[in-house]
PDB file of all heavy atoms in Angstrom:
ATOM      1  N   PRO A  17    -140.238   9.994 103.816  1.00  0.00           N
ATOM      2  CA  PRO A  17    -140.165  10.704 102.524  1.00  0.00           C
ATOM      3  C   PRO A  17    -139.723  12.124 102.421  1.00  0.00           C
ATOM      4  O   PRO A  17    -139.391  12.630 101.401  1.00  0.00           O
ATOM      5  CB  PRO A  17    -141.717  10.537 102.083  1.00  0.00           C
ATOM      6  CG  PRO A  17    -142.504  10.585 103.400  1.00  0.00           C
ATOM      7  CD  PRO A  17    -141.581   9.853 104.347  1.00  0.00           C
ATOM      8  N   VAL A  18    -139.747  12.869 103.608  1.00  0.00           N
ATOM      9  CA  VAL A  18    -139.340  14.306 103.505  1.00  0.00           C
ATOM     10  C   VAL A  18    -137.866  14.516 103.761  1.00  0.00           C
ATOM     11  O   VAL A  18    -137.422  15.584 103.865  1.00  0.00           O
ATOM     12  CB  VAL A  18    -140.180  15.050 104.556  1.00  0.00           C
ATOM     13  CG1 VAL A  18    -141.624  14.984 104.160  1.00  0.00           C
ATOM     14  CG2 VAL A  18    -139.884  14.626 105.982  1.00  0.00           C
ATOM     15  N   ASN A  19    -137.079  13.307 104.049  1.00  0.00           N
ATOM     16  CA  ASN A  19    -135.613  13.519 104.262  1.00  0.00           C
ATOM     17  C   ASN A  19    -134.964  14.148 103.087  1.00  0.00           C
ATOM     18  O   ASN A  19    -135.151  13.796 101.914  1.00  0.00           O
ATOM     19  CB  ASN A  19    -135.064  12.053 104.407  1.00  0.00           C
ATOM     20  CG  ASN A  19    -135.075  11.507 105.856  1.00  0.00           C
ATOM     21  OD1 ASN A  19    -135.649  12.208 106.692  1.00  0.00           O
ATOM     22  ND2 ASN A  19    -134.601  10.395 105.984  1.00  0.00           N
ATOM     23  N   GLY A  20    -134.258  15.201 103.355  1.00  0.00           N
ATOM     24  CA  GLY A  20    -133.521  15.784 102.336  1.00  0.00           C
ATOM     25  C   GLY A  20    -134.308  16.947 101.551  1.00  0.00           C
ATOM     26  O   GLY A  20    -133.689  17.633 100.721  1.00  0.00           O
ATOM     27  N   LEU A  21    -135.600  16.993 101.811  1.00  0.00           N
ATOM     28  CA  LEU A  21    -136.381  17.969 100.993  1.00  0.00           C
ATOM     29  C   LEU A  21    -136.164  19.333 101.743  1.00  0.00           C
ATOM     30  O   LEU A  21    -136.148  19.572 102.900  1.00  0.00           O
ATOM     31  CB  LEU A  21    -137.843  17.613 100.995  1.00  0.00           C
ATOM     32  CG  LEU A  21    -138.132  16.399 100.221  1.00  0.00           C
ATOM     33  CD1 LEU A  21    -139.602  15.991 100.368  1.00  0.00           C
ATOM     34  CD2 LEU A  21    -137.714  16.423  98.743  1.00  0.00           C
ATOM     35  N   ASP A  22    -136.254  20.511 100.945  1.00  0.00           N
ATOM     36  CA  ASP A  22    -136.298  21.866 101.414  1.00  0.00           C
ATOM     37  C   ASP A  22    -137.752  22.154 101.696  1.00  0.00           C
ATOM     38  O   ASP A  22    -138.638  21.331 101.632  1.00  0.00           O
ATOM     39  CB  ASP A  22    -135.673  22.800 100.280  1.00  0.00           C
ATOM     40  CG  ASP A  22    -136.450  22.726  98.960  1.00  0.00           C
ATOM     41  OD1 ASP A  22    -137.715  22.247  99.079  1.00  0.00           O
ATOM     42  OD2 ASP A  22    -136.018  23.194  97.984  1.00  0.00           O
ATOM     43  N   PRO A  23    -137.927  23.365 102.358  1.00  0.00           N
ATOM     44  CA  PRO A  23    -139.275  23.646 102.795  1.00  0.00           C
ATOM     45  C   PRO A  23    -140.350  23.618 101.766  1.00  0.00           C
ATOM     46  O   PRO A  23    -141.513  23.162 102.025  1.00  0.00           O
ATOM     47  CB  PRO A  23    -139.105  25.082 103.430  1.00  0.00           C
ATOM     48  CG  PRO A  23    -137.628  25.162 103.853  1.00  0.00           C
ATOM     49  CD  PRO A  23    -136.937  24.366 102.847  1.00  0.00           C
ATOM     50  N   GLU A  24    -140.062  24.033 100.578  1.00  0.00           N
ATOM     51  CA  GLU A  24    -140.963  23.933  99.561  1.00  0.00           C
ATOM     52  C   GLU A  24    -141.350  22.492  99.225  1.00  0.00           C
ATOM     53  O   GLU A  24    -142.471  22.091  98.916  1.00  0.00           O
ATOM     54  CB  GLU A  24    -140.381  24.553  98.204  1.00  0.00           C
ATOM     55  CG  GLU A  24    -141.413  24.690  97.089  1.00  0.00           C
ATOM     56  CD  GLU A  24    -141.405  23.355  96.255  1.00  0.00           C
ATOM     57  OE1 GLU A  24    -140.336  22.737  96.165  1.00  0.00           O
ATOM     58  OE2 GLU A  24    -142.475  23.088  95.578  1.00  0.00           O
ATOM     59  N   GLY A  25    -140.199  21.616  99.271  1.00  0.00           N
ATOM     60  CA  GLY A  25    -140.434  20.182  98.911  1.00  0.00           C
ATOM     61  C   GLY A  25    -141.286  19.574 100.053  1.00  0.00           C
ATOM     62  O   GLY A  25    -142.033  18.707  99.793  1.00  0.00           O
ATOM     63  N   ILE A  26    -141.066  19.962 101.290  1.00  0.00           N
ATOM     64  CA  ILE A  26    -141.806  19.416 102.441  1.00  0.00           C
ATOM     65  C   ILE A  26    -143.234  19.711 102.277  1.00  0.00           C
ATOM     66  O   ILE A  26    -144.171  18.879 102.533  1.00  0.00           O
ATOM     67  CB  ILE A  26    -141.205  19.858 103.753  1.00  0.00           C
ATOM     68  CG1 ILE A  26    -139.778  19.161 104.010  1.00  0.00           C
ATOM     69  CG2 ILE A  26    -142.095  19.408 105.007  1.00  0.00           C
ATOM     70  CD1 ILE A  26    -139.133  19.748 105.213  1.00  0.00           C
ATOM     71  N   LEU A  27    -143.549  20.963 102.028  1.00  0.00           N
ATOM     72  CA  LEU A  27    -144.930  21.440 101.826  1.00  0.00           C
ATOM     73  C   LEU A  27    -145.559  20.629 100.607  1.00  0.00           C
ATOM     74  O   LEU A  27    -146.687  20.191 100.618  1.00  0.00           O
ATOM     75  CB  LEU A  27    -144.945  22.885 101.480  1.00  0.00           C
ATOM     76  CG  LEU A  27    -146.398  23.448 101.077  1.00  0.00           C
ATOM     77  CD1 LEU A  27    -147.441  23.240 102.371  1.00  0.00           C
ATOM     78  CD2 LEU A  27    -146.300  24.983 100.846  1.00  0.00           C
ATOM     79  N   TRP A  28    -144.831  20.328  99.572  1.00  0.00           N
ATOM     80  CA  TRP A  28    -145.228  19.686  98.401  1.00  0.00           C
ATOM     81  C   TRP A  28    -145.673  18.291  98.755  1.00  0.00           C
ATOM     82  O   TRP A  28    -146.752  17.750  98.399  1.00  0.00           O
ATOM     83  CB  TRP A  28    -144.236  19.661  97.253  1.00  0.00           C
ATOM     84  CG  TRP A  28    -144.598  18.673  96.238  1.00  0.00           C
ATOM     85  CD1 TRP A  28    -145.561  18.811  95.179  1.00  0.00           C
ATOM     86  CD2 TRP A  28    -143.977  17.301  96.002  1.00  0.00           C
ATOM     87  NE1 TRP A  28    -145.684  17.688  94.405  1.00  0.00           N
ATOM     88  CE2 TRP A  28    -144.638  16.774  94.969  1.00  0.00           C
ATOM     89  CE3 TRP A  28    -143.030  16.613  96.668  1.00  0.00           C
ATOM     90  CZ2 TRP A  28    -144.363  15.521  94.398  1.00  0.00           C
ATOM     91  CZ3 TRP A  28    -142.850  15.273  96.208  1.00  0.00           C
ATOM     92  CH2 TRP A  28    -143.556  14.819  95.045  1.00  0.00           C
ATOM     93  N   ILE A  29    -144.861  17.516  99.418  1.00  0.00           N
ATOM     94  CA  ILE A  29    -145.057  16.138  99.817  1.00  0.00           C
ATOM     95  C   ILE A  29    -146.237  16.039 100.733  1.00  0.00           C
ATOM     96  O   ILE A  29    -147.140  15.116 100.773  1.00  0.00           O
ATOM     97  CB  ILE A  29    -143.826  15.364 100.355  1.00  0.00           C
ATOM     98  CG1 ILE A  29    -144.055  13.916 100.532  1.00  0.00           C
ATOM     99  CG2 ILE A  29    -143.378  15.967 101.664  1.00  0.00           C
ATOM    100  CD1 ILE A  29    -144.394  13.210  99.198  1.00  0.00           C
ATOM    101  N   ARG A  30    -146.359  17.074 101.695  1.00  0.00           N
ATOM    102  CA  ARG A  30    -147.525  16.973 102.575  1.00  0.00           C
ATOM    103  C   ARG A  30    -148.845  17.201 101.807  1.00  0.00           C
ATOM    104  O   ARG A  30    -149.789  16.314 101.958  1.00  0.00           O
ATOM    105  CB  ARG A  30    -147.389  18.243 103.652  1.00  0.00           C
ATOM    106  CG  ARG A  30    -148.740  18.233 104.563  1.00  0.00           C
ATOM    107  CD  ARG A  30    -148.845  19.761 105.066  1.00  0.00           C
ATOM    108  NE  ARG A  30    -147.561  20.201 105.665  1.00  0.00           N
ATOM    109  CZ  ARG A  30    -147.322  21.534 105.948  1.00  0.00           C
ATOM    110  NH1 ARG A  30    -148.322  22.382 105.808  1.00  0.00           N
ATOM    111  NH2 ARG A  30    -146.219  21.902 106.477  1.00  0.00           N
ATOM    112  N   GLN A  31    -148.953  18.120 100.828  1.00  0.00           N
ATOM    113  CA  GLN A  31    -150.186  18.339 100.135  1.00  0.00           C
ATOM    114  C   GLN A  31    -150.331  17.175  99.074  1.00  0.00           C
ATOM    115  O   GLN A  31    -151.510  16.722  98.873  1.00  0.00           O
ATOM    116  CB  GLN A  31    -150.078  19.606  99.329  1.00  0.00           C
ATOM    117  CG  GLN A  31    -149.931  20.804 100.279  1.00  0.00           C
ATOM    118  CD  GLN A  31    -149.648  22.098  99.503  1.00  0.00           C
ATOM    119  OE1 GLN A  31    -149.193  22.121  98.346  1.00  0.00           O
ATOM    120  NE2 GLN A  31    -150.108  23.303 100.036  1.00  0.00           N
ATOM    121  N   PHE A  32    -149.289  16.550  98.642  1.00  0.00           N
ATOM    122  CA  PHE A  32    -149.342  15.417  97.718  1.00  0.00           C
ATOM    123  C   PHE A  32    -149.942  14.237  98.466  1.00  0.00           C
ATOM    124  O   PHE A  32    -150.963  13.559  98.010  1.00  0.00           O
ATOM    125  CB  PHE A  32    -148.006  14.974  97.280  1.00  0.00           C
ATOM    126  CG  PHE A  32    -147.909  13.897  96.248  1.00  0.00           C
ATOM    127  CD1 PHE A  32    -148.505  13.965  95.029  1.00  0.00           C
ATOM    128  CD2 PHE A  32    -147.293  12.677  96.506  1.00  0.00           C
ATOM    129  CE1 PHE A  32    -148.419  12.934  94.139  1.00  0.00           C
ATOM    130  CE2 PHE A  32    -147.213  11.658  95.730  1.00  0.00           C
ATOM    131  CZ  PHE A  32    -147.807  11.793  94.471  1.00  0.00           C
ATOM    132  N   MET A  33    -149.463  13.891  99.630  1.00  0.00           N
ATOM    133  CA  MET A  33    -150.004  12.749 100.429  1.00  0.00           C
ATOM    134  C   MET A  33    -151.420  12.937 100.867  1.00  0.00           C
ATOM    135  O   MET A  33    -152.300  12.052 100.758  1.00  0.00           O
ATOM    136  CB  MET A  33    -149.165  12.542 101.591  1.00  0.00           C
ATOM    137  CG  MET A  33    -147.787  11.912 101.329  1.00  0.00           C
ATOM    138  SD  MET A  33    -146.781  11.306 102.779  1.00  0.00           S
ATOM    139  CE  MET A  33    -146.499  12.914 103.547  1.00  0.00           C
ATOM    140  N   GLN A  34    -151.806  14.158 101.201  1.00  0.00           N
ATOM    141  CA  GLN A  34    -153.153  14.512 101.670  1.00  0.00           C
ATOM    142  C   GLN A  34    -154.110  14.405 100.460  1.00  0.00           C
ATOM    143  O   GLN A  34    -155.247  13.940 100.556  1.00  0.00           O
ATOM    144  CB  GLN A  34    -153.240  15.814 102.265  1.00  0.00           C
ATOM    145  CG  GLN A  34    -152.676  15.922 103.613  1.00  0.00           C
ATOM    146  CD  GLN A  34    -152.498  17.272 104.193  1.00  0.00           C
ATOM    147  OE1 GLN A  34    -152.487  18.324 103.483  1.00  0.00           O
ATOM    148  NE2 GLN A  34    -152.440  17.463 105.507  1.00  0.00           N
ATOM    149  N   ALA A  35    -153.699  14.813  99.227  1.00  0.00           N
ATOM    150  CA  ALA A  35    -154.443  14.684  98.005  1.00  0.00           C
ATOM    151  C   ALA A  35    -154.662  13.304  97.603  1.00  0.00           C
ATOM    152  O   ALA A  35    -155.816  12.790  97.181  1.00  0.00           O
ATOM    153  CB  ALA A  35    -153.778  15.342  96.850  1.00  0.00           C
ATOM    154  N   LEU A  36    -153.614  12.488  97.867  1.00  0.00           N
ATOM    155  CA  LEU A  36    -153.795  10.930  97.495  1.00  0.00           C
ATOM    156  C   LEU A  36    -154.885  10.287  98.473  1.00  0.00           C
ATOM    157  O   LEU A  36    -155.704   9.609  97.999  1.00  0.00           O
ATOM    158  CB  LEU A  36    -152.461  10.239  97.701  1.00  0.00           C
ATOM    159  CG  LEU A  36    -151.384  10.496  96.638  1.00  0.00           C
ATOM    160  CD1 LEU A  36    -150.042   9.887  97.198  1.00  0.00           C
ATOM    161  CD2 LEU A  36    -151.695  10.093  95.334  1.00  0.00           C
ATOM    162  N   ALA A  37    -154.834  10.704  99.768  1.00  0.00           N
ATOM    163  CA  ALA A  37    -155.787  10.127 100.710  1.00  0.00           C
ATOM    164  C   ALA A  37    -157.201  10.569 100.350  1.00  0.00           C
ATOM    165  O   ALA A  37    -158.096   9.891 100.469  1.00  0.00           O
ATOM    166  CB  ALA A  37    -155.384  10.609 102.134  1.00  0.00           C
ATOM    167  N   ALA A  38    -157.209  11.897  99.955  1.00  0.00           N
ATOM    168  CA  ALA A  38    -158.556  12.531  99.631  1.00  0.00           C
ATOM    169  C   ALA A  38    -159.203  11.781  98.488  1.00  0.00           C
ATOM    170  O   ALA A  38    -160.474  11.818  98.235  1.00  0.00           O
ATOM    171  CB  ALA A  38    -158.462  13.950  99.273  1.00  0.00           C
ATOM    172  N   GLU A  39    -158.358  11.175  97.557  1.00  0.00           N
ATOM    173  CA  GLU A  39    -158.890  10.286  96.423  1.00  0.00           C
ATOM    174  C   GLU A  39    -159.372   8.903  96.952  1.00  0.00           C
ATOM    175  O   GLU A  39    -159.846   8.193  96.113  1.00  0.00           O
ATOM    176  CB  GLU A  39    -157.886  10.145  95.354  1.00  0.00           C
ATOM    177  CG  GLU A  39    -157.444  11.461  94.745  1.00  0.00           C
ATOM    178  CD  GLU A  39    -156.261  11.291  93.912  1.00  0.00           C
ATOM    179  OE1 GLU A  39    -155.643  10.206  93.837  1.00  0.00           O
ATOM    180  OE2 GLU A  39    -155.928  12.291  93.082  1.00  0.00           O
ATOM    181  N   GLY A  40    -159.218   8.673  98.100  1.00  0.00           N
ATOM    182  CA  GLY A  40    -159.649   7.266  98.777  1.00  0.00           C
ATOM    183  C   GLY A  40    -158.635   6.282  98.820  1.00  0.00           C
ATOM    184  O   GLY A  40    -158.810   5.172  99.248  1.00  0.00           O
ATOM    185  N   ARG A  41    -157.308   6.709  98.709  1.00  0.00           N
ATOM    186  CA  ARG A  41    -156.137   5.813  98.722  1.00  0.00           C
ATOM    187  C   ARG A  41    -155.765   5.535 100.194  1.00  0.00           C
ATOM    188  O   ARG A  41    -156.061   6.506 101.066  1.00  0.00           O
ATOM    189  CB  ARG A  41    -155.026   6.261  97.761  1.00  0.00           C
ATOM    190  CG  ARG A  41    -155.341   6.636  96.384  1.00  0.00           C
ATOM    191  CD  ARG A  41    -154.215   6.884  95.689  1.00  0.00           C
ATOM    192  NE  ARG A  41    -154.411   7.647  94.447  1.00  0.00           N
ATOM    193  CZ  ARG A  41    -153.946   7.434  93.320  1.00  0.00           C
ATOM    194  NH1 ARG A  41    -153.203   6.375  92.946  1.00  0.00           N
ATOM    195  NH2 ARG A  41    -154.284   8.254  92.215  1.00  0.00           N
ATOM    196  N   THR A  42    -155.085   4.578 100.403  1.00  0.00           N
ATOM    197  CA  THR A  42    -154.453   4.239 101.721  1.00  0.00           C
ATOM    198  C   THR A  42    -153.123   4.747 101.689  1.00  0.00           C
ATOM    199  O   THR A  42    -152.325   4.479 100.832  1.00  0.00           O
ATOM    200  CB  THR A  42    -154.385   2.829 101.984  1.00  0.00           C
ATOM    201  OG1 THR A  42    -155.753   2.170 101.997  1.00  0.00           O
ATOM    202  CG2 THR A  42    -153.832   2.509 103.442  1.00  0.00           C
ATOM    203  N   VAL A  43    -152.799   5.663 102.624  1.00  0.00           N
ATOM    204  CA  VAL A  43    -151.396   6.340 102.667  1.00  0.00           C
ATOM    205  C   VAL A  43    -150.749   6.108 104.045  1.00  0.00           C
ATOM    206  O   VAL A  43    -151.431   6.481 105.058  1.00  0.00           O
ATOM    207  CB  VAL A  43    -151.498   7.895 102.423  1.00  0.00           C
ATOM    208  CG1 VAL A  43    -150.145   8.407 102.400  1.00  0.00           C
ATOM    209  CG2 VAL A  43    -152.180   8.068 101.045  1.00  0.00           C
ATOM    210  N   PHE A  44    -149.727   5.376 104.075  1.00  0.00           N
ATOM    211  CA  PHE A  44    -149.162   5.014 105.308  1.00  0.00           C
ATOM    212  C   PHE A  44    -147.672   5.596 105.305  1.00  0.00           C
ATOM    213  O   PHE A  44    -146.829   5.171 104.364  1.00  0.00           O
ATOM    214  CB  PHE A  44    -149.087   3.465 105.423  1.00  0.00           C
ATOM    215  CG  PHE A  44    -148.556   2.887 106.766  1.00  0.00           C
ATOM    216  CD1 PHE A  44    -149.042   3.440 107.894  1.00  0.00           C
ATOM    217  CD2 PHE A  44    -147.789   1.721 106.789  1.00  0.00           C
ATOM    218  CE1 PHE A  44    -148.616   2.909 109.151  1.00  0.00           C
ATOM    219  CE2 PHE A  44    -147.375   1.187 108.034  1.00  0.00           C
ATOM    220  CZ  PHE A  44    -147.787   1.796 109.225  1.00  0.00           C
ATOM    221  N   VAL A  45    -147.296   6.494 106.209  1.00  0.00           N
ATOM    222  CA  VAL A  45    -145.989   7.200 106.119  1.00  0.00           C
ATOM    223  C   VAL A  45    -145.317   7.217 107.383  1.00  0.00           C
ATOM    224  O   VAL A  45    -146.003   7.493 108.482  1.00  0.00           O
ATOM    225  CB  VAL A  45    -146.187   8.561 105.559  1.00  0.00           C
ATOM    226  CG1 VAL A  45    -147.311   9.357 106.411  1.00  0.00           C
ATOM    227  CG2 VAL A  45    -144.879   9.401 105.508  1.00  0.00           C
TER     228      VAL A  45
END
């Protein structure tokens, strides 16, 4: 999912996935 993302975008997707997991979701990447 981080292909082509700039540093800000990479940080965003990292925090986004961790937030989804914190809600109890299953995140497979």
Side-chain angles (χ1 to χ4, degrees):
V18 299
N19 275 1
L21 293 179
D22 58 17
E24 184 276 333
I26 291 174
L27 177 61
W28 168 76
I29 189 61
R30 178 202 308 166
Q31 295 173 339
F32 182 68
M33 290 189 293
Q34 290 174 334
L36 291 172
E39 293 172 355
R41 305 186 204 227
T42 301
V43 182
F44 190 41
V45 54

